[in-house]
Amino acid sequence: PLLWRAVRPPPPPPADTRLDLNAATQAELGALPGIGPSRAEAILRLRALRGRFQAVDDLREVPGLDAGTVDRLRPLVKVEAP
């Protein structure tokens, strides 16, 4: 015999906890692995100088951040549209 089973609705999608590079503070950036206070300051300086980041890859323009560091940060950060 067929038994009726309650069907649960699918769980909600996980919250996006990535850090927005265009809204992050120095403390938030500094807490990222491999960044620290001086690199966080360099990120903020570049953002102030050239405006909003358009893509995570823009981090490669930050002095002291190489492609490997940017790749490690990729799952932790994002760039949201204004």
mmCIF file of all heavy atoms in Angstrom, residues 22-68:
data_model
loop_
_atom_site.group_PDB
_atom_site.id
_atom_site.type_symbol
_atom_site.label_atom_id
_atom_site.label_comp_id
_atom_site.label_asym_id
_atom_site.label_seq_id
_atom_site.Cartn_x
_atom_site.Cartn_y
_atom_site.Cartn_z
ATOM 1 N N ASN A 22 33.681 46.451 -1.743
ATOM 2 C CA ASN A 22 33.346 47.863 -1.853
ATOM 3 C C ASN A 22 32.709 48.431 -0.587
ATOM 4 O O ASN A 22 32.502 49.643 -0.501
ATOM 5 C CB ASN A 22 32.425 48.098 -3.051
ATOM 6 C CG ASN A 22 33.169 47.929 -4.352
ATOM 7 O OD1 ASN A 22 34.299 48.374 -4.494
ATOM 8 N ND2 ASN A 22 32.558 47.257 -5.300
ATOM 9 N N ALA A 23 32.417 47.590 0.376
ATOM 10 C CA ALA A 23 31.794 48.060 1.611
ATOM 11 C C ALA A 23 32.605 47.685 2.845
ATOM 12 O O ALA A 23 32.304 48.152 3.939
ATOM 13 C CB ALA A 23 30.379 47.479 1.731
ATOM 14 N N ALA A 24 33.621 46.876 2.675
ATOM 15 C CA ALA A 24 34.378 46.353 3.812
ATOM 16 C C ALA A 24 35.200 47.430 4.509
ATOM 17 O O ALA A 24 35.734 48.332 3.870
ATOM 18 C CB ALA A 24 35.301 45.232 3.337
ATOM 19 N N THR A 25 35.289 47.299 5.813
ATOM 20 C CA THR A 25 36.126 48.187 6.613
ATOM 21 C C THR A 25 37.543 47.628 6.682
ATOM 22 O O THR A 25 37.785 46.471 6.305
ATOM 23 C CB THR A 25 35.576 48.297 8.040
ATOM 24 O OG1 THR A 25 35.684 47.005 8.669
ATOM 25 C CG2 THR A 25 34.125 48.766 8.056
ATOM 26 N N GLN A 26 38.453 48.422 7.208
ATOM 27 C CA GLN A 26 39.827 47.961 7.351
ATOM 28 C C GLN A 26 39.889 46.750 8.283
ATOM 29 O O GLN A 26 40.614 45.796 8.015
ATOM 30 C CB GLN A 26 40.735 49.070 7.868
ATOM 31 C CG GLN A 26 42.190 48.635 7.940
ATOM 32 C CD GLN A 26 43.143 49.763 8.250
ATOM 33 O OE1 GLN A 26 42.742 50.908 8.368
ATOM 34 N NE2 GLN A 26 44.412 49.436 8.379
ATOM 35 N N ALA A 27 39.099 46.769 9.353
ATOM 36 C CA ALA A 27 39.092 45.644 10.293
ATOM 37 C C ALA A 27 38.580 44.372 9.623
ATOM 38 O O ALA A 27 39.141 43.291 9.829
ATOM 39 C CB ALA A 27 38.241 45.985 11.513
ATOM 40 N N GLU A 28 37.513 44.498 8.819
ATOM 41 C CA GLU A 28 36.965 43.321 8.132
ATOM 42 C C GLU A 28 37.968 42.757 7.127
ATOM 43 O O GLU A 28 38.169 41.546 7.049
ATOM 44 C CB GLU A 28 35.657 43.681 7.430
ATOM 45 C CG GLU A 28 34.517 43.971 8.391
ATOM 46 C CD GLU A 28 33.307 44.566 7.705
ATOM 47 O OE1 GLU A 28 33.465 45.311 6.702
ATOM 48 O OE2 GLU A 28 32.191 44.303 8.182
ATOM 49 N N LEU A 29 38.590 43.642 6.366
ATOM 50 C CA LEU A 29 39.586 43.194 5.389
ATOM 51 C C LEU A 29 40.790 42.580 6.090
ATOM 52 O O LEU A 29 41.313 41.553 5.668
ATOM 53 C CB LEU A 29 40.030 44.358 4.503
ATOM 54 C CG LEU A 29 38.985 44.894 3.529
ATOM 55 C CD1 LEU A 29 39.416 46.239 2.969
ATOM 56 C CD2 LEU A 29 38.722 43.896 2.424
ATOM 57 N N GLY A 30 41.214 43.201 7.179
ATOM 58 C CA GLY A 30 42.369 42.712 7.914
ATOM 59 C C GLY A 30 42.161 41.345 8.531
ATOM 60 O O GLY A 30 43.128 40.630 8.803
ATOM 61 N N ALA A 31 40.912 40.969 8.744
ATOM 62 C CA ALA A 31 40.602 39.663 9.328
ATOM 63 C C ALA A 31 40.657 38.538 8.299
ATOM 64 O O ALA A 31 40.642 37.362 8.665
ATOM 65 C CB ALA A 31 39.218 39.697 9.990
ATOM 66 N N LEU A 32 40.724 38.886 7.024
ATOM 67 C CA LEU A 32 40.824 37.859 5.978
ATOM 68 C C LEU A 32 42.187 37.173 6.063
ATOM 69 O O LEU A 32 43.191 37.832 6.367
ATOM 70 C CB LEU A 32 40.639 38.481 4.593
ATOM 71 C CG LEU A 32 39.254 39.005 4.258
ATOM 72 C CD1 LEU A 32 39.295 39.840 2.987
ATOM 73 C CD2 LEU A 32 38.269 37.860 4.122
ATOM 74 N N PRO A 33 42.227 35.867 5.786
ATOM 75 C CA PRO A 33 43.506 35.161 5.873
ATOM 76 C C PRO A 33 44.538 35.721 4.892
ATOM 77 O O PRO A 33 44.248 35.923 3.716
ATOM 78 C CB PRO A 33 43.153 33.710 5.533
ATOM 79 C CG PRO A 33 41.810 33.756 4.889
ATOM 80 C CD PRO A 33 41.132 35.003 5.358
ATOM 81 N N GLY A 34 45.721 36.017 5.418
ATOM 82 C CA GLY A 34 46.799 36.503 4.583
ATOM 83 C C GLY A 34 46.762 37.993 4.300
ATOM 84 O O GLY A 34 47.575 38.504 3.529
ATOM 85 N N ILE A 35 45.842 38.728 4.909
ATOM 86 C CA ILE A 35 45.742 40.161 4.629
ATOM 87 C C ILE A 35 46.401 40.974 5.750
ATOM 88 O O ILE A 35 47.450 41.547 5.558
ATOM 89 C CB ILE A 35 44.276 40.594 4.409
ATOM 90 C CG1 ILE A 35 43.716 39.894 3.172
ATOM 91 C CG2 ILE A 35 44.177 42.099 4.221
ATOM 92 C CD1 ILE A 35 44.456 40.201 1.888
ATOM 93 N N GLY A 36 45.819 41.043 6.902
ATOM 94 C CA GLY A 36 46.400 41.832 7.985
ATOM 95 C C GLY A 36 46.195 43.321 7.780
ATOM 96 O O GLY A 36 45.674 43.763 6.754
ATOM 97 N N PRO A 37 46.631 44.112 8.757
ATOM 98 C CA PRO A 37 46.345 45.551 8.735
ATOM 99 C C PRO A 37 46.989 46.315 7.573
ATOM 100 O O PRO A 37 46.352 47.189 6.980
ATOM 101 C CB PRO A 37 46.901 46.069 10.065
ATOM 102 C CG PRO A 37 47.260 44.882 10.877
ATOM 103 C CD PRO A 37 47.275 43.687 9.985
ATOM 104 N N SER A 38 48.234 46.018 7.227
ATOM 105 C CA SER A 38 48.891 46.815 6.184
ATOM 106 C C SER A 38 48.310 46.527 4.802
ATOM 107 O O SER A 38 48.107 47.450 3.998
ATOM 108 C CB SER A 38 50.405 46.585 6.195
ATOM 109 O OG SER A 38 50.698 45.235 5.943
ATOM 110 N N ARG A 39 48.014 45.278 4.515
ATOM 111 C CA ARG A 39 47.397 44.964 3.220
ATOM 112 C C ARG A 39 45.967 45.487 3.157
ATOM 113 O O ARG A 39 45.506 45.926 2.105
ATOM 114 C CB ARG A 39 47.433 43.467 2.951
ATOM 115 C CG ARG A 39 48.814 42.975 2.565
ATOM 116 C CD ARG A 39 48.801 41.521 2.244
ATOM 117 N NE ARG A 39 50.080 41.083 1.715
ATOM 118 C CZ ARG A 39 50.404 39.829 1.536
ATOM 119 N NH1 ARG A 39 49.541 38.872 1.840
ATOM 120 N NH2 ARG A 39 51.575 39.509 1.055
ATOM 121 N N ALA A 40 45.246 45.435 4.293
ATOM 122 C CA ALA A 40 43.891 45.987 4.335
ATOM 123 C C ALA A 40 43.926 47.472 4.033
ATOM 124 O O ALA A 40 43.101 47.988 3.271
ATOM 125 C CB ALA A 40 43.265 45.729 5.710
ATOM 126 N N GLU A 41 44.913 48.158 4.585
ATOM 127 C CA GLU A 41 45.056 49.586 4.315
ATOM 128 C C GLU A 41 45.357 49.833 2.836
ATOM 129 O O GLU A 41 44.827 50.769 2.231
ATOM 130 C CB GLU A 41 46.174 50.165 5.182
ATOM 131 C CG GLU A 41 46.290 51.668 5.089
ATOM 132 C CD GLU A 41 47.356 52.216 6.023
ATOM 133 O OE1 GLU A 41 47.580 51.627 7.091
ATOM 134 O OE2 GLU A 41 47.965 53.234 5.651
ATOM 135 N N ALA A 42 46.178 48.976 2.237
ATOM 136 C CA ALA A 42 46.501 49.116 0.813
ATOM 137 C C ALA A 42 45.255 48.899 -0.050
ATOM 138 O O ALA A 42 45.068 49.591 -1.064
ATOM 139 C CB ALA A 42 47.599 48.130 0.428
ATOM 140 N N ILE A 43 44.405 47.966 0.340
ATOM 141 C CA ILE A 43 43.154 47.722 -0.400
ATOM 142 C C ILE A 43 42.261 48.960 -0.325
ATOM 143 O O ILE A 43 41.713 49.418 -1.334
ATOM 144 C CB ILE A 43 42.429 46.470 0.140
ATOM 145 C CG1 ILE A 43 43.244 45.208 -0.176
ATOM 146 C CG2 ILE A 43 41.015 46.360 -0.440
ATOM 147 C CD1 ILE A 43 42.765 43.958 0.547
ATOM 148 N N LEU A 44 42.120 49.520 0.867
ATOM 149 C CA LEU A 44 41.287 50.713 1.034
ATOM 150 C C LEU A 44 41.870 51.910 0.292
ATOM 151 O O LEU A 44 41.132 52.719 -0.282
ATOM 152 C CB LEU A 44 41.129 51.042 2.519
ATOM 153 C CG LEU A 44 40.304 50.048 3.328
ATOM 154 C CD1 LEU A 44 40.248 50.476 4.782
ATOM 155 C CD2 LEU A 44 38.910 49.895 2.757
ATOM 156 N N ARG A 45 43.192 52.021 0.272
ATOM 157 C CA ARG A 45 43.847 53.116 -0.441
ATOM 158 C C ARG A 45 43.558 53.016 -1.945
ATOM 159 O O ARG A 45 43.228 54.009 -2.592
ATOM 160 C CB ARG A 45 45.349 53.073 -0.158
ATOM 161 C CG ARG A 45 46.033 54.395 -0.274
ATOM 162 C CD ARG A 45 47.482 54.418 0.179
ATOM 163 N NE ARG A 45 48.137 53.138 0.279
ATOM 164 C CZ ARG A 45 48.585 52.617 1.428
ATOM 165 N NH1 ARG A 45 48.433 53.266 2.556
ATOM 166 N NH2 ARG A 45 49.191 51.446 1.437
ATOM 167 N N LEU A 46 43.656 51.804 -2.489
ATOM 168 C CA LEU A 46 43.361 51.616 -3.912
ATOM 169 C C LEU A 46 41.894 51.922 -4.206
ATOM 170 O O LEU A 46 41.574 52.583 -5.198
ATOM 171 C CB LEU A 46 43.701 50.190 -4.352
ATOM 172 C CG LEU A 46 43.435 49.882 -5.828
ATOM 173 C CD1 LEU A 46 44.357 50.710 -6.721
ATOM 174 C CD2 LEU A 46 43.622 48.409 -6.117
ATOM 175 N N ARG A 47 41.004 51.487 -3.332
ATOM 176 C CA ARG A 47 39.575 51.751 -3.523
ATOM 177 C C ARG A 47 39.299 53.251 -3.497
ATOM 178 O O ARG A 47 38.512 53.756 -4.303
ATOM 179 C CB ARG A 47 38.771 51.016 -2.442
ATOM 180 C CG ARG A 47 37.277 51.066 -2.654
ATOM 181 C CD ARG A 47 36.559 50.190 -1.665
ATOM 182 N NE ARG A 47 36.497 50.818 -0.358
ATOM 183 C CZ ARG A 47 36.094 50.199 0.749
ATOM 184 N NH1 ARG A 47 35.741 48.929 0.725
ATOM 185 N NH2 ARG A 47 36.051 50.836 1.891
ATOM 186 N N ALA A 48 39.958 53.971 -2.605
ATOM 187 C CA ALA A 48 39.762 55.424 -2.517
ATOM 188 C C ALA A 48 40.344 56.123 -3.742
ATOM 189 O O ALA A 48 39.783 57.114 -4.226
ATOM 190 C CB ALA A 48 40.402 55.951 -1.242
ATOM 191 N N LEU A 49 41.431 55.595 -4.252
ATOM 192 C CA LEU A 49 42.132 56.211 -5.374
ATOM 193 C C LEU A 49 41.410 56.006 -6.700
ATOM 194 O O LEU A 49 41.253 56.937 -7.484
ATOM 195 C CB LEU A 49 43.541 55.626 -5.465
ATOM 196 C CG LEU A 49 44.532 56.315 -6.371
ATOM 197 C CD1 LEU A 49 44.879 57.691 -5.809
ATOM 198 C CD2 LEU A 49 45.783 55.466 -6.497
ATOM 199 N N ARG A 50 40.941 54.796 -6.958
ATOM 200 C CA ARG A 50 40.387 54.493 -8.286
ATOM 201 C C ARG A 50 38.883 54.258 -8.288
ATOM 202 O O ARG A 50 38.288 54.009 -9.322
ATOM 203 C CB ARG A 50 41.102 53.303 -8.917
ATOM 204 C CG ARG A 50 40.919 52.001 -8.191
ATOM 205 C CD ARG A 50 41.663 50.890 -8.877
ATOM 206 N NE ARG A 50 41.020 50.468 -10.088
ATOM 207 C CZ ARG A 50 40.173 49.447 -10.169
ATOM 208 N NH1 ARG A 50 39.880 48.738 -9.119
ATOM 209 N NH2 ARG A 50 39.643 49.113 -11.318
ATOM 210 N N GLY A 51 38.263 54.265 -7.112
ATOM 211 C CA GLY A 51 36.818 54.045 -7.047
ATOM 212 C C GLY A 51 36.489 52.586 -6.782
ATOM 213 O O GLY A 51 37.360 51.795 -6.421
ATOM 214 N N ARG A 52 35.249 52.260 -6.974
ATOM 215 C CA ARG A 52 34.741 50.928 -6.657
ATOM 216 C C ARG A 52 35.476 49.834 -7.425
ATOM 217 O O ARG A 52 35.858 50.019 -8.570
ATOM 218 C CB ARG A 52 33.250 50.836 -6.995
ATOM 219 C CG ARG A 52 32.373 51.763 -6.174
ATOM 220 C CD ARG A 52 30.925 51.646 -6.581
ATOM 221 N NE ARG A 52 30.409 50.300 -6.454
ATOM 222 C CZ ARG A 52 29.971 49.757 -5.312
ATOM 223 N NH1 ARG A 52 29.981 50.454 -4.208
ATOM 224 N NH2 ARG A 52 29.515 48.523 -5.288
ATOM 225 N N PHE A 53 35.615 48.699 -6.770
ATOM 226 C CA PHE A 53 36.131 47.516 -7.448
ATOM 227 C C PHE A 53 35.043 47.006 -8.387
ATOM 228 O O PHE A 53 33.856 47.013 -8.046
ATOM 229 C CB PHE A 53 36.492 46.421 -6.441
ATOM 230 C CG PHE A 53 37.702 46.737 -5.613
ATOM 231 C CD1 PHE A 53 37.584 47.144 -4.297
ATOM 232 C CD2 PHE A 53 38.973 46.620 -6.147
ATOM 233 C CE1 PHE A 53 38.689 47.426 -3.527
ATOM 234 C CE2 PHE A 53 40.101 46.908 -5.389
ATOM 235 C CZ PHE A 53 39.961 47.311 -4.070
ATOM 236 N N GLN A 54 35.441 46.580 -9.565
ATOM 237 C CA GLN A 54 34.501 46.023 -10.536
ATOM 238 C C GLN A 54 34.477 44.502 -10.487
ATOM 239 O O GLN A 54 33.508 43.884 -10.901
ATOM 240 C CB GLN A 54 34.871 46.484 -11.946
ATOM 241 C CG GLN A 54 34.888 47.991 -12.109
ATOM 242 C CD GLN A 54 33.539 48.621 -11.828
ATOM 243 O OE1 GLN A 54 32.528 48.181 -12.360
ATOM 244 N NE2 GLN A 54 33.515 49.621 -10.977
ATOM 245 N N ALA A 55 35.575 43.906 -10.017
ATOM 246 C CA ALA A 55 35.696 42.446 -9.950
ATOM 247 C C ALA A 55 36.711 42.096 -8.870
ATOM 248 O O ALA A 55 37.569 42.914 -8.525
ATOM 249 C CB ALA A 55 36.155 41.888 -11.299
ATOM 250 N N VAL A 56 36.628 40.888 -8.363
ATOM 251 C CA VAL A 56 37.577 40.423 -7.352
ATOM 252 C C VAL A 56 39.004 40.490 -7.905
ATOM 253 O O VAL A 56 39.948 40.806 -7.178
ATOM 254 C CB VAL A 56 37.211 39.002 -6.873
ATOM 255 C CG1 VAL A 56 38.282 38.436 -5.968
ATOM 256 C CG2 VAL A 56 35.855 39.010 -6.163
ATOM 257 N N ASP A 57 39.167 40.232 -9.188
ATOM 258 C CA ASP A 57 40.496 40.277 -9.799
ATOM 259 C C ASP A 57 41.154 41.651 -9.706
ATOM 260 O O ASP A 57 42.373 41.759 -9.860
ATOM 261 C CB ASP A 57 40.436 39.827 -11.258
ATOM 262 C CG ASP A 57 40.309 38.320 -11.386
ATOM 263 O OD1 ASP A 57 40.841 37.610 -10.512
ATOM 264 O OD2 ASP A 57 39.685 37.858 -12.353
ATOM 265 N N ASP A 58 40.378 42.704 -9.447
ATOM 266 C CA ASP A 58 40.966 44.035 -9.274
ATOM 267 C C ASP A 58 41.935 44.064 -8.094
ATOM 268 O O ASP A 58 42.796 44.941 -8.017
ATOM 269 C CB ASP A 58 39.881 45.096 -9.067
ATOM 270 C CG ASP A 58 39.045 45.334 -10.312
ATOM 271 O OD1 ASP A 58 39.428 44.852 -11.401
ATOM 272 O OD2 ASP A 58 37.998 46.002 -10.198
ATOM 273 N N LEU A 59 41.811 43.109 -7.187
ATOM 274 C CA LEU A 59 42.728 43.043 -6.051
ATOM 275 C C LEU A 59 44.173 42.835 -6.499
ATOM 276 O O LEU A 59 45.102 43.147 -5.758
ATOM 277 C CB LEU A 59 42.328 41.907 -5.096
ATOM 278 C CG LEU A 59 41.114 42.143 -4.212
ATOM 279 C CD1 LEU A 59 40.794 40.889 -3.419
ATOM 280 C CD2 LEU A 59 41.336 43.326 -3.285
ATOM 281 N N ARG A 60 44.371 42.326 -7.694
ATOM 282 C CA ARG A 60 45.739 42.110 -8.193
ATOM 283 C C ARG A 60 46.494 43.424 -8.358
ATOM 284 O O ARG A 60 47.717 43.427 -8.441
ATOM 285 C CB ARG A 60 45.708 41.358 -9.516
ATOM 286 C CG ARG A 60 45.248 39.933 -9.348
ATOM 287 C CD ARG A 60 45.257 39.198 -10.651
ATOM 288 N NE ARG A 60 44.741 37.839 -10.441
ATOM 289 C CZ ARG A 60 44.799 36.902 -11.341
ATOM 290 N NH1 ARG A 60 45.333 37.134 -12.507
ATOM 291 N NH2 ARG A 60 44.313 35.706 -11.081
ATOM 292 N N GLU A 61 45.769 44.534 -8.399
ATOM 293 C CA GLU A 61 46.402 45.843 -8.512
ATOM 294 C C GLU A 61 46.918 46.356 -7.174
ATOM 295 O O GLU A 61 47.616 47.366 -7.122
ATOM 296 C CB GLU A 61 45.427 46.849 -9.106
ATOM 297 C CG GLU A 61 44.980 46.495 -10.518
ATOM 298 C CD GLU A 61 43.943 47.470 -11.037
ATOM 299 O OE1 GLU A 61 44.000 48.671 -10.691
ATOM 300 O OE2 GLU A 61 43.065 47.025 -11.795
ATOM 301 N N VAL A 62 46.555 45.686 -6.088
ATOM 302 C CA VAL A 62 46.996 46.101 -4.756
ATOM 303 C C VAL A 62 48.453 45.667 -4.575
ATOM 304 O O VAL A 62 48.772 44.485 -4.747
ATOM 305 C CB VAL A 62 46.107 45.472 -3.655
ATOM 306 C CG1 VAL A 62 46.633 45.812 -2.274
ATOM 307 C CG2 VAL A 62 44.662 45.911 -3.820
ATOM 308 N N PRO A 63 49.335 46.606 -4.247
ATOM 309 C CA PRO A 63 50.728 46.229 -4.013
ATOM 310 C C PRO A 63 50.824 45.167 -2.912
ATOM 311 O O PRO A 63 50.195 45.278 -1.872
ATOM 312 C CB PRO A 63 51.382 47.544 -3.557
ATOM 313 C CG PRO A 63 50.494 48.622 -4.074
ATOM 314 C CD PRO A 63 49.115 48.041 -4.089
ATOM 315 N N GLY A 64 51.577 44.111 -3.193
ATOM 316 C CA GLY A 64 51.771 43.052 -2.210
ATOM 317 C C GLY A 64 50.794 41.898 -2.321
ATOM 318 O O GLY A 64 50.933 40.910 -1.608
ATOM 319 N N LEU A 65 49.790 42.015 -3.180
ATOM 320 C CA LEU A 65 48.845 40.912 -3.372
ATOM 321 C C LEU A 65 49.135 40.247 -4.710
ATOM 322 O O LEU A 65 48.949 40.852 -5.761
ATOM 323 C CB LEU A 65 47.391 41.391 -3.352
ATOM 324 C CG LEU A 65 46.814 41.835 -2.016
ATOM 325 C CD1 LEU A 65 45.334 42.137 -2.162
ATOM 326 C CD2 LEU A 65 47.037 40.813 -0.940
ATOM 327 N N ASP A 66 49.576 39.010 -4.671
ATOM 328 C CA ASP A 66 49.850 38.299 -5.924
ATOM 329 C C ASP A 66 48.629 37.470 -6.328
ATOM 330 O O ASP A 66 47.631 37.404 -5.608
ATOM 331 C CB ASP A 66 51.098 37.428 -5.792
ATOM 332 C CG ASP A 66 50.988 36.384 -4.688
ATOM 333 O OD1 ASP A 66 49.855 36.077 -4.249
ATOM 334 O OD2 ASP A 66 52.034 35.864 -4.275
ATOM 335 N N ALA A 67 48.711 36.858 -7.478
ATOM 336 C CA ALA A 67 47.582 36.086 -8.019
ATOM 337 C C ALA A 67 47.187 34.951 -7.084
ATOM 338 O O ALA A 67 46.001 34.652 -6.926
ATOM 339 C CB ALA A 67 47.932 35.546 -9.397
ATOM 340 N N GLY A 68 48.153 34.314 -6.437
ATOM 341 C CA GLY A 68 47.845 33.224 -5.520
ATOM 342 C C GLY A 68 47.025 33.685 -4.326
ATOM 343 O O GLY A 68 46.080 33.019 -3.910
#
